[in-house]
Amino acid sequence: MEFAFPWPMSQGEWLAWSSAVVTLLLGLLLFLAPALAFRILRLQVKPEKAAAIAEARGRMSGFYLGVGLCCVLLAQPLLYMALGFSWLFTAFGRLLSMMSDGANTPFNWASIVVELVLAALPLAFAFGFVP
């Protein structure tokens, strides 16, 4: 059995692949440079709570790397659907926090737009809206 890199062939695949690559890059950033990633995300780690860095490298980067890498390497519509729904629920969680936790900030508004775009790209391909 030969392994062949599934290069995107259609416009819809390129959109979904782009979202997967951004997800993969975010995962790499969290994995390799968690302190920088936390600064970008406007999070602060307390010196006495160094385990927060482990959360970035383990739990946070693990899902980004796993789903992003599976989408890039396997290029299956159902994987792209999982990626899209993951970003959609991320946006929904942020919206819920903005409404109930008083986190209505310009950073959260910009983040929710980015998350919705990253959700829409693979979902448009997975549901056949963009061939």
Side-chain angles (χ1 to χ4, degrees):
M1 182 170 106
E2 274 185 51
F3 178 75
F5 182 73
W7 199 250
M9 295 297 197
S10 67
Q11 181 181 3
E13 282 181 295
W14 274 107
L15 294 174
W17 186 83
S18 299
S19 179
V21 168
V22 169
T23 304
L24 186 59
L25 292 174
L26 288 171
L28 282 173
L29 179 67
L30 283 162
F31 187 73
L32 298 174
L36 174 63
F38 277 180
R39 276 197 308 265
I40 292 170
L41 295 172
R42 297 181 179 197
L43 298 174
Q44 186 176 5
V45 178
K46 293 181 179 179
E48 67 273 9
K49 300 287 184 179
I53 297 295
E55 287 297 311
R57 285 199 170 142
R59 190 177 315 218
M60 293 169 73
S61 73
F63 277 103
Y64 287 146
L65 287 172
V67 174
L69 195 59
C70 283
C71 287
V72 167
L73 292 179
L74 301 175
Q76 297 295 312
L78 289 176
L79 288 174
Y80 285 130
M81 190 181 298
L83 175 67
F85 278 119
S86 295
W87 279 114
L88 193 61
F89 278 105
T90 300
F92 179 69
R94 187 175 302 275
L95 181 64
L96 188 62
S97 180
M98 289 168 67
M99 292 181 345
S100 61
D101 301 331
N104 193 2
T105 65
F107 176 80
N108 278 335
W109 280 107
S111 295
I112 203 167
V113 168
V114 170
E115 291 159 358
L116 288 173
V117 168
L118 289 172
L121 296 177
L123 288 177
F125 170 68
F127 286 121
F129 294 124
V130 180

